[in-house]
Amino acid sequence: MPNSRFLDVTQMLDSKAAAIAALISDRGWQQLSPHERIGAAYDYVRDEILFGYNVADTRRASSVLADGYGQCNTKATLLMALLRALGIPCRLHGFTIDKSLQRGIVPELVYWMAPRNILHSWVEVRLDGQWINLEGFILDQQVLSSLQAAFPGRTSLCAYGAGTDCLQAPMVTWQGRDTYIQRTGINADLGVFDSPDAFFSEYEQALTGVRGWLYRNIIRHWMNHRVAAIRRGAVPTLPGDGNALMPDVPARVFTDR
């Protein structure tokens, strides 16, 4: 399979941006093996780019790097740009997730405003002739550890940005195989795309008008404040019983079991 298009620079994947080149040079990642390059970029995006909500899904990779935080789509963009700059072919797989996955991060007061289906993506990387799914980079370790500590007896959780049936031992560490942290919240598969540019040219989040303005200017900052609190160990309580922590997905596309 020709890999050239999976290495292309695009408007969003600005892998030749000065800040991206400087990061790779400073870390010495080009000297690593392909397996190690993937791991270095993956670990950086997972834990040094904190989990949080940017102003838009369509941020360029260099802008996400400058922000220092991101969610599934924006972190995926940065990871892809780093991988392509390192000569690692990669592509994007698009989905939607149910809004219940973000409950506890989206404040209850405005939870009703969130779209039922939220655009989601993971990165697929080509290594040794195989495509490997990478989704486990979304939550930084501090957020994940706080959720594990808050729910020590749970295996399944679909809230607070996590969607897993293996909460205490999720598949999030790069070991040359698939990683996941939100896939049990997925409710639709939108297919594979060469780049995030292609994905977002076809699909747009249903958050426009007044709701879009409120999200960009007020709600996402509120959400980021709540994520920061979770990172410190203050996990907000959700109303209702334990069902609020389970996927509200009629027909789950994926399971971790």
Side-chain angles (χ1 to χ4, degrees):
M1 175 186 294
N3 286 328
S4 60
R5 75 179 195 272
F6 301 121
L7 293 169
D8 284 348
V9 176
T10 69
Q11 184 173 356
M12 290 179 64
L13 300 177
D14 55 344
S15 53
K16 293 186 178 180
I20 289 176
L23 172 64
I24 290 172
S25 176
D26 290 346
R27 300 291 176 111
W29 290 344
Q30 285 285 15
Q31 313 309 315
L32 303 175
S33 69
H35 182 280
E36 292 170 329
R37 279 182 239 163
I38 296 169
Y42 178 94
D43 290 346
Y44 177 84
V45 172
R46 180 179 174 227
D47 285 325
E48 296 191 52
I49 302 298
L50 299 180
F51 178 52
Y53 293 83
N54 313 86
V55 68
D57 282 334
T58 52
R59 298 283 279 169
R60 293 184 181 189
S62 58
S63 297
V64 180
L65 179 62
D67 287 345
Y69 61 88
Q71 33 82 346
C72 57
N73 298 315
T74 52
K75 277 195 168 194
T77 296
L78 177 56
L79 179 56
M80 288 185 69
L82 291 172
L83 291 170
R84 291 190 179 190
L86 289 165
I88 304 295
C90 57
R91 64 189 185 188
L92 192 80
H93 200 140
F95 305 91
T96 60
I97 55 173
D98 189 87
K99 65 187 286 185
S100 58
L101 184 139
Q102 294 191 352
R103 195 167 189 185
I105 292 176
V106 178
E108 287 296 307
L109 185 64
V110 294
Y111 181 71
W112 63 272
M113 294 176 59
R116 178 85 261 174
N117 302 310
I118 298 172
L119 290 179
H120 173 65
S121 58
W122 69 45
V123 175
E124 296 183 355
V125 63
R126 187 82 171 170
L127 180 66
D128 297 331
Q130 302 293 324
W131 287 107
I132 301 170
N133 301 333
L134 302 180
E135 190 202 46
F137 57 82
I138 299 169
L139 300 186
D140 58 81
Q141 185 58 49
Q142 287 179 294
V143 168
L144 179 58
S145 294
S146 291
L147 295 177
Q148 290 169 328
F151 304 104
R154 293 196 68 88
T155 54
S156 295
L157 179 68
C158 191
Y160 306 103
T164 178
D165 288 328
C166 311
L167 178 61
Q168 300 306 321
M171 301 171 284
V172 295
T173 304
W174 168 247
Q175 296 178 343
R177 56 180 184 261
D178 299 344
T179 70
Y180 301 106
I181 195 58
Q182 291 189 340
R183 71 172 179 169
T184 64
I186 291 173
N187 59 14
D189 187 338
L190 303 180
V192 176
F193 299 81
D194 288 357
S195 68
D197 312 59
F199 177 50
F200 289 111
S201 69
E202 186 168 341
Y203 294 97
E204 183 178 1
Q205 186 61 65
L207 198 62
T208 57
V210 173
R211 287 199 304 171
W213 186 93
L214 287 171
Y215 171 78
R216 291 188 300 273
N217 294 283
I218 298 174
I219 296 173
R220 75 179 182 93
H221 297 294
W222 195 356
M223 292 166 65
N224 286 338
H225 178 77
R226 290 168 72 88
V227 172
I230 292 171
R231 194 174 286 115
R232 295 192 302 269
V235 178
T237 301
L238 296 181
D241 56 22
N243 288 332
L245 303 175
M246 297 297 292
D248 186 14
V249 181
R252 289 168 61 173
V253 177
F254 295 104
T255 177
D256 283 341
R257 290 176 176 160

